């Protein structure tokens, strides 16, 4: 079964990737630009080390 919302998101992702010739660095740079332009607070947390027994 195809979900129309998932299909729409996948198409948007493919269109965006195609716009940058599938260059991951350029895609990420553009997404960061979009984040800045939106003006929403973006939180970056440091990575947490996994310990035995944590999930």
């Amino acid at each position: 079964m195809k979900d129309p919302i998932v299909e729409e998101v996948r198409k948007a992702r493919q269109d965006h990737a195609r716009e940058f010739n599938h260059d991951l660095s350029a895609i990420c740079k553009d997404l960061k630009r979009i984040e800045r332009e939106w003006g929403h607070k973006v939180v970056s947390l440091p990575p947490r080390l996994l310990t035995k027994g944590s999930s």
Side-chain angles (χ1 to χ4, degrees), residues 34-43:
I34 292 168
E35 283 180 350
R36 283 191 309 273
E37 288 178 1
W38 279 355
H40 295 287
K41 183 177 180 179
V42 177
V43 178

Side-chain angles (χ1 to χ4, degrees), residues 16 19-32:
H16 190 247
E19 183 179 338
F20 293 94
N21 199 29
H22 299 276
D23 178 354
L24 186 56
S25 179
I27 293 168
C28 290
K29 185 176 179 180
D30 187 57
L31 291 173
K32 289 292 186 183

Side-chain angles (χ1 to χ4, degrees), residues 48-55:
R48 294 187 313 174
L49 296 176
L50 295 178
T51 58
K52 189 174 183 175
S54 66
S55 47

